[in-house]
Amino acid sequence: MLRPMHALVLSCLALTPLAGAALGAQASSETSDDAAKKAADDTAKKAALAEAISVCDKGAAVPLDPEAKAPPVQYGELFPQDFDLRKLKTLADKCQAAMLGAPQEKRLTLEWLRVQVALNQAGLTFLLPQIKLIADGGSPEANYLLYEVYSVHRRDGADAGPLPVSRGMALEALQKAGAAGHLTALETLLRQYIDGPLLRRDAHKVVETAQRVIDAPAQGQSPGEWDSQFRAAMPLLIARTVLENDGFAAEEQQKAFQAMDADTKAGTTGPEASVLAYIKALRLGRGTQPDAAKARQLLEARVASDQYAVPMLADMLAKGEGGPADGKRAIAALRAATKNVAEAGPMLAGLLLDGKFVGRQPREAIRLLNASSDLDAGIRLAKLLPDYDGFQIDNPDQLIGRLSDAAEAGEPGAALALARLQLSDDLRFKNEDVARAMLKPLADAGDRDALWLYASTQYANLDSTSYRPSRRDDGLSDDQLKALIDEGEAKKEQQAYLLHAKLLRKGVVYPQDDQKATAMLINAANLGGLEAMVLLGDAYDDGLGVDKNPRERLHAWREAARLGSLTAKSKLANAFTFDSFDHLMTLREGITDRIALYNDGIGRMGAGVFGANDADMELSGLFSGPASSAGNAAIAAAVMDAFREAPAGLDDDNLVGIGKALPDDIRVAIETTLKSEGFYTGEPKGYFGPDARKALAAWVDAKGPLGDAPSPQAAAGTQQATPAPGVLDADLVNRIRDKVFAQAQAAKTDKQKLAAIKQLGILARYGDLPSRWVLVRNYHQARAIRSVVTPEEITRYALDILVSKPEGVEKPEFEFIFDLTQIAQDRKSRMVGNATIQAIRDDPRLQDPLTLGAVMNQFAFAPDACDSVLAAAKKAGLDGVGSEGCDEDTRSALIAFAKDKGAAGVEAAARKAAVDEVKALDAKAAK
C-alpha cells in the first residue's frame, strides 16, 4: 500500500534580516578567519553538489533525454547486480541532493523520480502527479515509469484503495514510450506480445516490435553493451517468431529459414533458441520441406547437452513423429526437465491427462499446470479445477489475476475459462457476479457459449436443491430468456433445451412441468449435452416426469461418463452397490472406476480427515453384494486395474489405506496374481506389505494404462451377440413374429399349436428375443414345446435372455430354474453342461466374471445343473476346474477356455440356417 511521506522541500527559506545596532556591531566584528571558513564551506558544498550531480548522472541518466550528461542507464540497469538496495537508496539520496542543489538542471528531477520508482518506497503515490506532468510533456521515460508503477502495484489488496495508475493509462503510456523508441518499453512490449497477459499474445506484433527495436533512435551518448546486444538479437528473434508460429507468408518463412540455417549451420550449432527454431521449422515444413526424421535426429544429438531440446523431442516421441513412438521415454525426459525448462511442465501435464502411455494422473497434472507461468497452462488449469475442487493449489488468487488480465486483453479462451471456474461450486473461486460481468461482453460480441452461460445464471440458485431460484436485477428479462430459448431450440443448440428443462423443473419463467422438463433433457442429451445426460439419468433414477427406469438411467450416465463427465462416473460407481437384483453393471464400473476415483481424490469424504480409515469408510460394502458373484480372482483383477486407470493411488500412504480396506481374500488373490506373473516373490498371505505394494507398482508400469471401457451397450450386458451375416430387416422379423404370435393365440388344435411352436422355434434360432422368451417361459409347462425345442437350445436361449435382460421380461431367472428342473426330470441334464460351455464360447458377455457368476448362481437352485457343467468341463479337458460346476475355479476355467478356444460357432450356425427359414415364412405369409 502506498503511504504518505513528508513533502520534499524544493526551495530554501529566505532568512529574515535582524535589526538593531548590536547586529551591525556583530557583523563588523567578523574576522578574516570566519570569511575563510565560509569560503571553505561554500567550496565544499559546491564540490558535494558537483559530486552528487555526477553520481546521479552516471547512475540514472535517462534514455532518450537530449539533456543527458552521461551514457543512458536503462531502467533495469538501475538495480545493483547483487540486489543490494542500499546502493539504490544511496543513489536516490545523491539524486535528491543534486536535484535540490541544482533546480535549473531539469534532467535531475526525472533521474531522481525513476530511482524513486525503482525503490518503490512508501509515499510513491505523491510523486505520480509530477511523473504524469513530465509524461504529458512527451517524455518516453516518464511514460514508461507510469507503466512500471502500475505493473508493481496491480496486485495490491483491496484495502490499498484504488490503483494510483489505471490499467488503461499504464498500457497507453507503455505504447507511447515504445512508439518513441524507448528500448526498455519495447522490451516490455515484446514480453507481453510473446507471453501476455496484459496484452493479447500476437506473433505479428512481436515481429513488428522487434523491427521497431532495430529502428529505434540512439538512447543517448555511448548507449552501452546492452543496447547493442538487444538490437543485434532482433533479426534472429524475428526469424524464430516467423518459423515457430502460424500465419506468416511462405516468402517470410523461407527468408527466416535461410537466416536460421546460416546462424545454426543447418541446426548443428549456434545459439540454443535459433537451433531449436531451425529444427521446429524442419519438423513442420516452414520455409523448407518437412523432414521429421532429420529434425528428430538433430534433437537426439542435442538433448544430452541441452535440456531445452527435451520438450520438442518428447512431443515427437509421444506422437511417433520422425521415428517410433515412445511415450514412456517422453514422460521420463519431461519429468527430468521440469525443474529447469518452463515448457516441460505443461507438456508433461498434457501427457498425464491424455492417459495414452500411463494411466491418467490429473492431480499431478494440476500441480504442474499451476506451477507454470504459461498462459495456456493457466487456461487449461481453469478448465480442470471445477472437476477437482478438492485439490488445493498454491496461490489461487494468482491464477485468477493472470486469467483476469488475459481476459481483459482479449486472450482467446481466458474469459470463458475463468467465468466457468467462477461459476463452479469451488468456494476458492466462486464469484457469479464477476463471472457474469465477464461473460456479458463476450455474449454481446456473438460468443454463443458465453451467452448461454450468462442466460443460465440469470436466476441464482437455479441448480440448487435447497433454495428457490431468485431473479437477478440485471441481465435478461423473462421474455428475452424465452426468445433466446426459442431461437436456440430452432438452431438445435443443446444449451437451449438444457436451460428450458431447468426452468421448467423449477417453475420459473415457465409453469412447473416435470414431464416437459425431462423431454427437454432428452433433446439436450441427444445433441451431446453432458450435463443434460447426467440430469436425465437422475430423472430416470428418481422418476421425475418419466417412469423410473434403471436401464435408461445407466445408459444416460454411461454416455456422459464416456464423454468425460466425472460426475456421471461417480454416479455409476455409487449405483453399483445397489445392483444386486438387476445385474446391469460391470466390475469395471463398480470396482475399478470407484477405486480409481478414490485414487484421484474425487468425492472423498473429509478430504483426509479420517486418516488411515479414509479408504475403509469410502469403500465399505463395495466387495460384498453384487461384486461377490464374480469371485475373488475377478474382484482382485478389478482392484488392480484401478491402479492402471489411476496410478496416483500407488502413493504408499494411499495404498496402505486401500490395502486395509480390502477383504483378506482379495489381498491374497492380488498377491497370488502378482506372484503368478513374476512380480512378487513372497508367499500370498494377504499381508500386503511393502514388497507386495512395490510389486503392484511394477505390475502397473508393465501393463500400462487401462484401455477404454466397452461400449455402453456391451457394458450393460444388454446387447445380443452379433447376428450372423445375412441379417434380416427388423421390420420383416417383427411382421412375421406378429403373425406367428397371433396364430399361436388363435390355435385350437394340437396340430395348430405345434405349427405355431415350430415357427417360434425358427424365429428363436434366428435370435429373436421375444420368441426365445416365449419358449423359455413355457418350456417347463408345455410338452409340445419340449417336443420341438431341445434342452441345448432352451439353455442357450435362457442364457441369452438372462444377459440381454430385454424390457418387459419379468424374473427370467425363475423360469430358467424351472426349465432346468424339468430337464433334470427328463434325465437330459448332461445336455445343459455342453450347451452352457458352447454359449460361453459364442457369447462374449458370458465371459465377464460378474455376469457369468450371477447367471450360474441360478444353476445352484436346479438339480444336476452344476454337476452337468462340471462333467462337460472335464470331458472338454478344461484346466483348473473346481470341485463343483458352479464354483469360482470352474467359472474362471470356463472363461479362460472360451477365450483360448474362441467361438464354438453353434449360435452363428443356427442363426445362419434360420435366415432362409424366416424368409420362407415371410414368403408363405405373403401368398
Side-chain angles (χ1 to χ4, degrees), residues 591-601 604 611-620 622-623 635-636 638-640 642-643 646-664 666-667 670 686-688 693 696:
I591 301 291
T592 302
D593 288 350
R594 175 73 174 274
I595 296 175
L597 288 167
Y598 178 84
N599 287 346
D600 284 334
R604 287 197 186 192
N613 294 323
D614 269 2
D616 198 34
M617 296 183 66
E618 291 285 340
L619 307 179
S620 62
L622 186 60
F623 307 103
I635 295 174
V639 171
M640 294 170 71
F643 296 92
L650 293 170
D651 172 78
D652 207 49
D653 288 342
N654 186 82
L655 201 49
V656 168
I658 289 181
K660 292 179 182 297
L662 295 174
D664 294 344
I666 305 302
R667 291 199 301 271
I670 291 173
Y687 298 150
F688 211 56
R693 299 195 296 272
L696 178 60

Side-chain angles (χ1 to χ4, degrees), residues 448-522:
R448 297 293 286 185
D449 287 336
L451 176 59
W452 286 116
L453 276 177
Y454 186 71
S456 67
T457 54
Q458 186 60 60
Y459 277 82
N461 302 318
L462 189 59
D463 294 324
S464 173
T465 57
S466 303
Y467 301 98
R468 179 166 177 78
S470 58
R471 181 179 168 74
R472 301 180 192 274
D473 294 334
D474 62 328
L476 302 172
S477 67
D478 286 356
D479 287 341
Q480 288 174 319
L481 280 175
K482 287 182 177 180
L484 175 62
I485 289 172
D486 289 343
E487 175 195 350
E489 290 179 352
K491 292 181 177 180
K492 300 299 182 185
E493 292 178 292
Q494 62 89 9
Q495 299 98 321
Y497 292 107
L498 175 62
L499 179 56
H500 197 173
K502 290 182 177 182
L503 295 172
L504 285 165
R505 190 78 82 204
K506 292 294 186 179
V508 293
V509 180
Y510 302 95
Q512 203 282 333
D513 189 334
D514 277 333
Q515 186 175 1
K516 192 172 181 182
T518 299
M520 292 297 106
L521 288 177
I522 292 173

Side-chain angles (χ1 to χ4, degrees), residues 743-798:
Q743 291 173 8
Q745 291 285 343
K748 301 297 184 183
T749 67
D750 290 344
K751 182 178 180 180
Q752 291 173 331
K753 292 177 182 179
L754 191 61
I757 291 171
K758 288 180 178 179
Q759 292 179 349
L760 284 172
I762 292 172
L763 288 170
R765 286 195 296 278
Y766 174 71
D768 181 56
L769 280 174
S771 299
R772 288 185 170 188
W773 174 233
V774 169
L775 296 176
V776 168
R777 188 179 58 188
N778 293 283
Y779 180 88
H780 61 89
Q781 54 192 354
R783 185 184 298 274
I785 292 178
R786 297 198 298 276
S787 70
V788 172
V789 180
T790 68
E792 291 97 334
E793 288 176 324
I794 208 67
T795 299
R796 291 205 318 273
Y797 300 164

Side-chain angles (χ1 to χ4, degrees), residues 131-173:
I131 297 174
K132 290 176 182 177
L133 184 64
I134 299 173
D136 291 342
S139 166
E141 177 68 18
N143 272 301
Y144 177 76
L145 292 179
L146 291 176
Y147 167 80
E148 187 63 29
V149 171
Y150 167 77
S151 178
V152 171
H153 290 281
R154 63 195 177 97
R155 292 287 172 254
D156 286 351
D159 59 344
L163 287 174
V165 179
S166 69
R167 175 193 174 103
M169 179 192 297
L171 294 178
E172 182 182 6

Side-chain angles (χ1 to χ4, degrees), residues 66-87:
E67 298 180 2
K69 304 299 183 183
V73 178
Q74 296 295 333
Y75 185 79
E77 295 175 322
L78 291 172
F79 297 91
Q81 291 187 352
D82 60 1
F83 294 97
D84 183 356
L85 293 185
R86 291 174 299 180
K87 297 177 182 178

Side-chain angles (χ1 to χ4, degrees), residues 602-913:
I602 307 299
R604 287 197 186 192
M605 295 187 301
V609 170
F610 303 107
N613 294 323
D614 269 2
D616 198 34
M617 296 183 66
E618 291 285 340
L619 307 179
S620 62
L622 186 60
F623 307 103
S624 56
S628 60
S629 298
N632 293 331
I635 295 174
V639 171
M640 294 170 71
D641 279 345
F643 296 92
R644 294 174 62 194
E645 184 176 330
L650 293 170
D651 172 78
D652 207 49
D653 288 342
N654 186 82
L655 201 49
V656 168
I658 289 181
K660 292 179 182 297
L662 295 174
D664 294 344
D665 291 343
I666 305 302
R667 291 199 301 271
V668 170
I670 291 173
E671 291 176 359
T672 299
T673 299
L674 292 172
K675 185 178 180 69
S676 68
E677 296 188 22
F679 293 93
Y680 181 56
T681 58
E683 286 301 313
K685 295 182 178 293
Y687 298 150
F688 211 56
D691 289 345
R693 299 195 296 272
K694 288 179 182 177
L696 178 60
W699 179 87
V700 168
D701 183 64
K703 292 291 184 180
L706 191 63
D708 292 336
S711 67
Q713 293 86 355
T718 57
Q719 186 177 30
Q720 276 189 291
T722 304
V727 63
L728 299 172
D729 180 73
D731 289 339
L732 182 150
V733 176
N734 292 337
R735 184 171 64 248
I736 294 174
R737 183 198 316 117
D738 290 343
K739 290 183 179 180
V740 171
F741 278 16
Q743 291 173 8
Q745 291 285 343
K748 301 297 184 183
T749 67
D750 290 344
K751 182 178 180 180
Q752 291 173 331
K753 292 177 182 179
L754 191 61
I757 291 171
K758 288 180 178 179
Q759 292 179 349
L760 284 172
I762 292 172
L763 288 170
R765 286 195 296 278
Y766 174 71
D768 181 56
L769 280 174
S771 299
R772 288 185 170 188
W773 174 233
V774 169
L775 296 176
V776 168
R777 188 179 58 188
N778 293 283
Y779 180 88
H780 61 89
Q781 54 192 354
R783 185 184 298 274
I785 292 178
R786 297 198 298 276
S787 70
V788 172
V789 180
T790 68
E792 291 97 334
E793 288 176 324
I794 208 67
T795 299
R796 291 205 318 273
Y797 300 164
L799 291 173
D800 187 20
I801 293 290
L802 286 174
V803 293
S804 296
K805 306 178 183 71
E807 291 200 45
V809 171
E810 297 279 340
K811 300 179 179 178
E813 60 275 5
F814 291 120
E815 301 296 346
F816 186 34
I817 293 171
F818 297 152
D819 290 347
L820 291 174
T821 302
Q822 181 62 53
I823 292 171
Q825 291 173 354
D826 293 340
R827 300 184 183 280
K828 296 180 179 180
S829 291
R830 61 180 179 81
M831 299 179 183
V832 171
N834 291 328
T836 300
I837 294 177
Q838 291 169 354
I840 295 171
R841 290 178 61 184
D842 281 341
D843 192 340
R845 297 172 301 169
L846 287 168
Q847 295 168 21
D848 174 72
L850 184 62
T851 301
L852 185 61
V855 167
M856 294 195 70
N857 280 344
Q858 311 308 317
F859 280 56
F861 295 101
D864 300 334
C866 291
D867 290 341
S868 71
V869 172
L870 182 61
K874 289 181 177 180
K875 184 176 181 180
L878 270 69
D879 294 327
V881 294
S883 58
E884 300 177 9
C886 297
D887 62 15
E888 181 184 350
D889 289 341
T890 302
R891 297 198 308 267
S892 298
L894 288 169
I895 291 172
F897 178 77
K899 290 181 177 181
D900 179 56
K901 295 295 184 180
V906 175
E907 180 74 10
R911 292 189 182 204
K912 184 177 181 181

